[in-house]
Amino acid sequence: QSVLTQPASVSGSVGQSITISCIGTSSDVGTYNLVSWFQQHPGTAPKLIIFEGSERPSGVSPRFSGSKSGNTASLTISNLQADDDGDYYCSSYAGSSTWVFGGGTKLTVL
Amino acid sequence: QVQLVQSGADMKKPGSSVKVSCKATGGHFDTYSIHWVRQAPGQGLEWMARIIPVIDAADYAQKILGRVTLTADKSTSTAYMELRSLTYDDTAIYYCARGKNFDFWGRGTLVTVSS
């Protein structure tokens, strides 16, 4: 299975908005509405922040939103806060009962 | 509150095997699948495999097919991941996560392969 393509790093100032892209193929992101996004702080397990492309789990801030267009999924974080600093990963169902993750994006909040 | 409690850190020699456990509490074990995801030091997440306990069916990533086996004990709500023929590249934190959306994660189990 191939890895989904994410930018290695993004940055933004407190209060600004940023978007992280997740580029897949017609075999994964483009076909299935099972894209999830995870936030990971150093030394901790990943935390689900978006599932099924654009749904937020209970308790996740509405500042996090997800979308998809063709083979590309996107995570937007609005009104950046210092605590948003960390690593972000996308994942997608890839068919045949397999899943694939993106390489991860390091978000730096300035 | 759903929790996935994983076994403790382990150190293994190259060529040996490791078995990591993941006990689910606070939810219906049979209702969800359990995924295994690993993260090598300083690297990203890698999907390894998935088991559906209610039907004892497992699926594996092509990269590790043949070296990994998932099992589940429904009586104790515990899933297991056994990885064989360990190499230094298998040094990683191994996570279990619940369901097709990976909505709950264990804290991870560090497996170190060292001679």
Side-chain angles (χ1 to χ4, degrees):
Chain A
Q1 295 89 355
S2 59
V3 174
L4 306 176
T5 300
Q6 299 180 231
S9 63
V10 298
S11 63
S13 300
V14 171
Q16 288 186 329
S17 295
I18 61 96
T19 297
I20 299 172
S21 60
C22 171
I23 303 172
T25 69
S26 58
S27 298
D28 39 62
V29 174
T31 294
Y32 302 102
N33 194 33
L34 281 175
V35 173
S36 295
W37 288 91
F38 306 91
Q39 177 192 62
Q40 186 179 36
H41 290 133
T44 68
K47 172 190 173 185
L48 177 69
I49 54 175
I50 295 288
F51 66 98
E52 294 176 5
S54 60
E55 300 297 315
R56 273 189 313 276
S58 173
V60 172
S61 171
R63 297 186 299 105
F64 294 92
S65 62
S67 63
K68 189 182 86 168
S69 177
N71 296 337
T72 300
S74 299
L75 171 72
T76 297
I77 308 174
S78 60
N79 187 20
L80 273 176
Q81 303 296 307
D83 189 48
D84 297 334
D85 202 279
D87 296 325
Y88 290 81
Y89 294 90
C90 61
S91 75
S92 175
Y93 180 64
S96 301
S97 300
T98 64
W99 275 256
V100 65
F101 279 89
T105 298
K106 181 175 179 55
L107 168 62
T108 301
V109 179
L110 305 171
Chain B
Q1 174 71 355
V2 174
Q3 281 194 318
L4 299 178
V5 181
Q6 297 189 225
S7 47
D10 210 344
M11 182 175 288
K12 296 291 185 181
K13 293 190 182 303
S16 67
S17 300
V18 68
K19 193 168 187 177
V20 180
S21 67
C22 170
K23 182 177 176 62
T25 63
H28 297 286
F29 185 67
D30 279 2
T31 308
Y32 296 92
S33 56
I34 296 289
H35 293 262
W36 290 88
V37 177
R38 70 179 178 179
Q39 186 170 34
Q43 302 300 309
L45 303 174
E46 178 187 7
W47 183 81
M48 297 177 64
R50 181 271 307 259
I51 188 166
I52 304 174
V54 67
I55 58 172
D56 248 339
D59 300 282
Y60 304 97
Q62 190 67 32
K63 179 180 175 181
I64 54 171
L65 190 61
R67 286 206 300 134
V68 63
T69 300
L70 300 191
T71 55
D73 183 342
K74 292 184 283 292
S75 69
T76 60
S77 299
T78 304
Y80 298 91
M81 185 281 299
E82 181 180 33
L83 187 60
R84 300 177 292 277
S85 302
L86 291 169
T87 71
Y88 298 116
D89 289 344
D90 293 317
T91 292
I93 297 174
Y94 289 77
Y95 294 102
C96 59
R98 189 187 80 161
K100 67 181 190 299
N101 296 319
F102 305 82
D103 56 1
F104 289 96
W105 292 64
R107 289 190 174 185
T109 297
L110 175 62
V111 175
T112 303
V113 182
S114 174
S115 57

